[in-house]
Amino acid sequence: MGNVRVLPLVLASAVLALGCQQRQTDGEPEEGAADTAAMMETGDEMAGDEMAGGGATSLADLAGTWNMRAVPESGDDTTAVTFRMEVAGDRLTLMLPERDPLETVVSTSGDSVVVEAGPYESIRREGVTVRTRSAFQLEGDRLVGTIVARYETSGADSVTILRSEGTRAP
């Protein structure tokens, strides 16, 4: 029975080590970012619960439209991208600039809302397909989180981690 709980820990450690290696040239990663990325990579529900400093979040808590902004944590291009998220019932729809609405797979874990989207054409890299997995937390009147974008390329820069923040639309 003990080995069953070890696999998520081993996977999270491997993802964390890889994330640290990828960002090593940019200095220390922002506190908590690697933990969120590890949770998002492994789907480990316990990692989400350990991050949860407060009570559980439900999609009802996020009902409405959110104006979001995301910025890469590292790299040459740190240009911000903006998008909207619409939350209604058990659905979360991404509204990317000049795109059709994008349906997502959404779940909650502790104080985090995990959103998976794609494949779709990247708004950062024209002509490149991307899949994203995001973890958001409600902090007061703001929605903050981390987005892991996986581009369908064979290059070394096939993953980008973005910090995101948004407010509810009036």
Side-chain angles (χ1 to χ4, degrees):
M1 184 82 167
N3 290 339
V4 173
R5 292 184 142 292
V6 171
L7 182 58
L9 180 59
V10 169
L11 289 173
S13 297
V15 169
L16 180 60
L18 177 62
C20 290
Q21 179 181 8
Q22 288 176 335
R23 292 189 298 226
Q24 188 173 21
T25 60
D26 295 324
E28 292 295 316
E30 189 169 315
E31 184 176 339
D35 293 339
T36 300
M39 177 200 71
M40 291 167 42
E41 291 299 316
T42 64
D44 185 358
E45 299 299 323
M46 292 202 53
D49 291 340
E50 289 169 6
M51 285 183 4
T57 298
S58 72
L59 286 180
D61 297 329
L62 305 181
T65 300
W66 292 85
N67 295 320
M68 303 296 295
R69 181 177 187 270
V71 179
E73 289 187 343
S74 63
D76 294 334
D77 181 7
T78 56
T79 305
V81 294
T82 59
F83 60 97
R84 288 183 303 137
M85 292 191 320
E86 295 182 0
V87 181
D90 63 350
R91 298 172 60 141
L92 188 149
T93 305
L94 289 178
M95 309 296 287
L96 304 176
E98 301 177 20
R99 304 286 173 84
D100 290 335
L102 185 62
E103 294 300 319
T104 65
V105 175
V106 62
S107 61
T108 59
S109 177
D111 73 340
S112 297
V113 174
V114 179
V115 181
E116 296 179 60
Y120 59 94
E121 184 178 345
S122 169
I123 58 178
R124 296 193 64 80
R125 299 182 186 183
E126 189 175 328
V128 177
T129 301
V130 66
R131 292 176 189 267
T132 59
R133 186 164 176 152
S134 311
F136 298 105
Q137 294 84 31
L138 194 55
E139 291 183 358
D141 62 349
R142 298 178 315 129
L143 190 61
V144 298
T146 302
I147 301 169
V148 176
R150 294 194 167 279
Y151 300 95
E152 292 184 7
T153 69
S154 59
D157 60 347
S158 63
V159 177
T160 299
I161 298 175
L162 304 103
R163 298 295 293 161
S164 60
E165 182 174 325
T167 57
R168 203 179 302 263

